[in-house]
Amino acid sequence: MLGQWQRLDRRNFLVLAACASITRLDAFSSDFWNKKDPSEWTGAEIDQLTNKSPWAKAVTASAASTARSPMGIPGMGGGGMGGGMGGGRRSGGGAAPGPSYQAIVRWESAKPILDALKAPLPEGFTNHYVISVGGIPLDAGSRARSQSQDDNSSDQDKLDRLKSATLLAPKDKRDLQPGIVLQQPAGYGNVYFGFAKDLVTLRPEDKEVTFTTQFGSVPVKTKFYLKDMLYHGELAV
């Protein structure tokens, strides 16, 4: 009887694994970008390509929770005054959830994205892998903290901090930091990160690349799967 259950469990596991694989394949099974000329792409197809495709990832990014007192004052959650004196009950202030943002992380230098948007990369990004993040303000999460220097710093200061907090990490290859970071349009647009191509050459057999950054107190992380990023038979990055 035990052997029968073990066989059933193994069979169920294999079915679930197969379903997971099929689900991922189905996500990009209608790869119109390899079947149609860009001039034939519909508005809906362009929207899919630039927001949910091998080159564009939807990411939910959240700031860390902030401890609060019952009066809503950050940093005073926990035992309260009674707990500090040793005789009172602990208060139940708990932690306030940080703000959450819906972002799009997109590989802007990829040929299908360039064909879809019909616009060149910003000046200075030639010979770079270019990834953009849209939907998150430069000072994201600052409202979840007390007033800080971040809130008063210039946009360029915030971009410089983004630059130092950003990595492009190919599997089994050296990590890259961006040589260029800018906001396009300046002041309210997407943030573009440029990684020099002459430092690392990406190939389909590298399998995956992880992109990480941090806007204020909001971390952003996503993976791109290189074997899915083929455009007319060639890796498009």
Side-chain angles (χ1 to χ4, degrees), residues 20-22 24-26 28 31 33-34 54-55 57 107 202-209 223-237:
S21 177
I22 291 170
R24 182 173 169 196
L25 289 173
D26 284 347
F28 306 122
D31 57 340
W33 48 83
N34 284 323
W55 298 275
K57 308 290 183 179
W107 206 294
L202 296 177
R203 296 182 174 87
E205 54 266 29
D206 295 326
K207 296 182 181 179
E208 62 186 44
V209 179
K223 286 185 179 182
F224 292 90
Y225 296 94
L226 297 177
K227 68 183 183 64
D228 293 334
M229 301 170 71
L230 299 181
Y231 187 49
H232 300 299
E234 296 185 359
L235 179 64
V237 288

Side-chain angles (χ1 to χ4, degrees), residues 138 155 159 182-190:
L138 294 179
D155 282 355
L159 289 172
L182 63 80
Q183 195 171 34
Q184 184 74 14
Y188 59 88
N190 290 4

